[in-house]
Amino acid sequence: MKLGMRSKLFLVVVALLVVSFLVADTYLSRVLDADLTARIRDDLLVRLNFLEKEASVFEADFGAKTEWKLLADDLSRRGEGRITILLKDGSLLCDSEIDASDIAQAETHADRQEVKQAFSSGQGFSVRWSSTLKQRMIYMAVPFQRGGGVVGAIRFAKPLTEVELALKSLRNSILSATGIALLVSVLLTFFLSSWMSKNVRRLTSSARRMASGDLAERTHIEGRDELAELGCVLNQLASELQNALGALRKERDLMNRVLEGMQEGVLLLGKDGHVVFANTALRELLHLSVDIAGKSQLELIRNATLKRILDEAKFSTEPVSAEFDIHSRRLWVHASAFQGEPQGMLAVFVDVTDLRRLETLRRDFVANVSHELRTPIAAVRSSAETLRRMVEVQPELAGEFIDIIERNTERLHQLVEDLLDFSHIESKEFRLALEDVGLQDSISQALLLFQKQADAKNMHFSVVIPEGTPLVRADRRRLEQVLSNLLDNAIKYSFENTPVHIEVETLHEFVRIAVKDSGQGIEAKHFSRLFERFYRVDAGRSREVGGTGLGLSIVKHLVEAMHGWVSVESTLGKGSTFYFTLPIAP
């Protein structure tokens, strides 16, 4: 059973009162008993000496038991107690409580304490329980003299009734006082415990709130006693814990922000192989759900290569790094097991898909550039060597070789210009000068640049710009470059005596521009790669007409930089249509 503070305090007070009662009763009873007994003994001694003088002058013979019995009765009546006269050998001569006819059968009193003391020291005294009278008795004895010598002893006995009554009265007084004190203590205990328990309850309530996490709670107990001091200590403890937890929360939040802000995936496994932490980047890389803590790695990642990497790192003292493919991505993982405590493993995942793609593009780019440069350089070199030999032998052929050199030099120049443009577009320093541009002026300017080229193939332009076509948000110079590349391709890859159509259409928040030729068209299988660098549908045909293989790629990058997109539609034998969009000016 759980006792409250009030009950405990009450029990303590009751226990103290009971102990006080027992101590007081024991001590006072002994003191009072000894004091009253000493007084009675002194009084008995006076009486006994007086009675002994009368007995010593009694003239009856020791054989006259009846006369001595009468004397004993007389002395008992006057002394108000029992009188026993015995001879020196311990046999009774007379007793006020025993008939004369029975005195001979009475037991000897020689071994009684008071008798022995009377014979040895002149007076004897003892207090003992009388089994005959069922009460405590006091016995006093002095020597009984006759004829100038000690012939026996006279003993006076009296019940200690007065002492017992006095002790009983004292015990009743102590008990009454204890009862009154107990009643007063109950009331005092009630008020005192209520006062004390109020602060204790406040302390307990505050401590429970602190334990539940409310470290802003304070005890607010005033005073200088122990409870107030305890309240101050609890307040100080809560304040220090609040500061420590605040610092830990800041560190945790900072670490979480760092981990969540990382582009690299972070996976923390416990010693049992279950997930302890996985940041957002990892969940996105591996297509994991949000609630993955506590799950095993096999439940989340079913990839044999990754499992092998993690298993190898688990039993290795050195970090393990490797690459693997998952969900059409190429990931690099660096895994290391914790040494000592706590045990577990940390794995960092980096998406290297784009890096590997760029490395492939770089290799392809170098190979393509080398290939593209090799043909015109070889042509120029061969023509120059031939020209050197033929200039003196057949000078009329020099013009033909000079044309070859000029044509390939122009091709090299165009390739270098396209490479420089492409490099500038892909650089971080590339910036567009966006402004509100009218398509009529830009298209007209581009057509003027290619009119001579179109006239050479007897081609004509058809332009359809609906009335009310809004301005577009674009870089004027780059827009003309996009149109120039598309018009150049349309003229180069179209048959003679065919038109080139330019059509403008407004679509919601964009304006779509279409450049349509009447060439041989493109197969659909080439559409997905048509805007890649150096990609050609017909490599021989492209080199023949002087294409660099970078024009459409430049178009795509420029249009996307101006927040538009490009697309193509084509039918073999009927020509191709290239579309690009630009946002409407606000």
Side-chain angles (χ1 to χ4, degrees), residues 244-437:
L245 288 177
L248 288 176
R249 289 192 185 98
K250 288 181 180 179
E251 293 181 4
R252 180 200 62 191
D253 294 341
L254 177 61
M255 185 61 66
N256 286 338
R257 286 195 295 271
V258 170
L259 291 174
E260 293 299 330
M262 291 175 61
Q263 294 182 349
E264 297 79 6
V266 178
L267 175 65
L268 179 62
L269 300 176
K271 63 179 181 179
D272 55 356
H274 288 71
V275 176
V276 176
F277 173 81
N279 67 347
T280 302
L282 179 68
R283 293 195 297 269
E284 292 176 352
L285 287 174
L286 302 182
H287 298 178
L288 303 177
S289 62
V290 176
D291 187 17
I292 61 175
K295 296 183 179 180
S296 66
Q297 64 185 54
L298 289 179
E299 291 182 75
L300 305 174
I301 310 167
R302 300 187 178 276
N303 186 283
T305 305
L306 178 57
K307 182 180 184 303
R308 178 183 56 78
I309 296 170
L310 296 179
D311 289 342
E312 183 180 350
K314 181 178 181 181
F315 300 102
S316 175
T317 57
E318 298 295 331
V320 176
S321 300
E323 291 186 10
F324 66 99
D325 295 312
I326 187 171
H327 302 309
S328 301
R329 306 294 292 179
R330 184 74 173 176
L331 301 183
W332 177 84
V333 59
H334 179 84
S336 59
F338 297 145
Q339 304 299 325
E341 292 292 336
Q343 297 179 355
M345 183 188 304
L346 177 67
V348 178
F349 296 76
V350 180
D351 187 354
V352 295
T353 306
D354 293 337
L355 178 62
R356 297 294 177 259
R357 182 179 60 81
L358 290 174
E359 289 177 352
T360 302
L361 289 174
R362 180 182 60 81
R363 289 194 299 268
D364 293 344
F365 180 79
V366 172
N368 288 328
V369 169
S370 300
H371 182 72
E372 294 296 330
L373 290 174
R374 185 181 295 113
T375 301
I377 289 175
V380 170
R381 182 177 181 181
S382 175
S383 298
E385 291 175 352
T386 304
L387 180 62
R388 181 186 297 276
R389 292 194 303 268
M390 297 294 294
V391 69
E392 296 179 357
V393 181
Q394 293 179 303
E396 66 278 5
L397 298 178
E400 181 179 347
F401 290 103
I402 291 174
D403 289 340
I404 294 174
I405 292 173
E406 288 180 347
R407 187 168 60 253
N408 283 279
T409 302
E410 180 63 26
R411 182 180 174 188
L412 285 173
H413 173 74
Q414 187 62 45
L415 179 60
V416 170
E417 288 296 323
D418 285 348
L419 287 173
L420 290 175
D421 274 348
F422 198 82
S423 175
H424 179 63
I425 291 170
E426 286 195 330
S427 67
K428 294 182 179 179
E429 290 77 17
F430 178 68
R431 296 290 184 274
L432 294 174
L434 297 177
E435 57 180 316
D436 297 344
V437 179

Side-chain angles (χ1 to χ4, degrees), residues 231-256:
C232 292
V233 173
L234 284 176
N235 291 340
Q236 183 179 0
L237 178 62
S239 179
E240 292 178 356
L241 283 175
Q242 188 175 23
N243 293 334
L245 288 177
L248 288 176
R249 289 192 185 98
K250 288 181 180 179
E251 293 181 4
R252 180 200 62 191
D253 294 341
L254 177 61
M255 185 61 66
N256 286 338

